[in-house]
Amino acid sequence: MSKPYILRTYEKALGWPFGRQLFSAYAARKAPYFRTVKPLVKTLKPGHCEIALKKRRAVENHIGTFHVIAVANGLEMAMGFLAEATVPKHLRWIPKGMDLTYPAKADSDLICEAVSDPADWVVGDVPIKVTARRTDGTAVVEGVITVWISEKPTK
C-alpha cells in the first residue's frame, strides 16, 4: 500500500538541510491560521503527530502564558496531520468537535501531541487524544478532538 502524500513529503523533506522547518512552513500554508503559531512538525506517522510551538509574545495572553486558543491551534494542527497520515485511502475525515481541559499554566515552549490507533479509522466518529506539554513534561492542555469519518464519494 502506498503511503499518504503528507507522509511521503515529510519523509523526503527530512533528508534536506532544514527539511523539518521547510516542511512545517509549507504544510502550515495549507491552513493559513496554523502559521500564527509558527509550528514545527517533530514527529509524523500513522497514529501519531507532534508539533513544537515556541513561546513568544505573539501567542501570549495577559498573564504572560500561552493563550489557550494558540495551544488549541497547535493541537488541531497535530490532529489534522495525524488524520492525513492515518486515514485509509477510501475514506475522508472532517473535525466534529473538540473537548479540552487546562490542568496547568503553559509558561514554556510546548509540544502538541495527537495520538490514535490506526485500527480505529472506520466510518463513524473517531476520538483523537490530544495533549500539550511544557518542556518539563507537565500537561497544560488535554482533551479529545473527534473526527467524523465517511466514505469518499465515487467519481
Side-chain angles (χ1 to χ4, degrees):
M1 178 176 8
S2 69
K3 289 183 182 180
Y5 173 77
I6 196 166
L7 276 179
R8 290 193 317 268
T9 306
Y10 177 71
E11 290 170 357
K12 183 176 181 180
L14 291 179
W16 305 334
F18 303 103
R20 193 179 307 274
Q21 292 86 344
L22 290 169
F23 173 83
S24 298
Y26 166 76
R29 290 177 51 93
K30 294 295 184 180
Y33 188 68
F34 290 150
R35 291 189 323 209
T36 64
V37 293
K38 298 191 184 223
L40 180 65
V41 180
K42 300 291 280 181
T43 304
L44 178 59
K45 59 187 179 182
H48 188 230
C49 182
E50 290 182 357
I51 306 283
L53 304 180
K54 290 278 187 201
K55 184 176 175 287
R56 56 195 175 81
R57 182 69 188 123
V59 294
E60 290 179 357
N61 59 23
H62 65 288
I63 61 172
T65 61
F66 248 102
H67 193 288
V68 74
I69 298 304
V71 179
N73 190 11
L75 291 170
E76 185 177 16
M77 183 175 181
M79 174 282 303
F81 278 47
L82 172 147
E84 286 296 312
T86 308
V87 69
K89 201 169 192 126
H90 68 287
L91 300 176
R92 60 186 178 174
W93 65 275
I94 189 165
K96 187 175 179 182
M98 180 185 289
D99 183 23
L100 303 175
T101 59
Y102 323 142
K105 286 184 180 178
D107 56 7
S108 73
D109 294 347
L110 300 176
I111 295 291
C112 294
E113 180 182 42
V115 178
S116 79
D117 183 346
D120 292 341
W121 285 72
V122 296
V123 172
D125 287 350
V126 173
I128 299 172
K129 184 177 188 246
V130 293
T131 308
R133 290 186 177 77
R134 296 189 306 224
T135 54
D136 68 3
T138 301
V140 297
V141 178
E142 298 175 311
V144 172
I145 299 175
T146 302
V147 295
W148 171 251
I149 308 297
S150 62
E151 296 279 342
K152 284 184 180 175
T154 55
K155 293 183 180 184

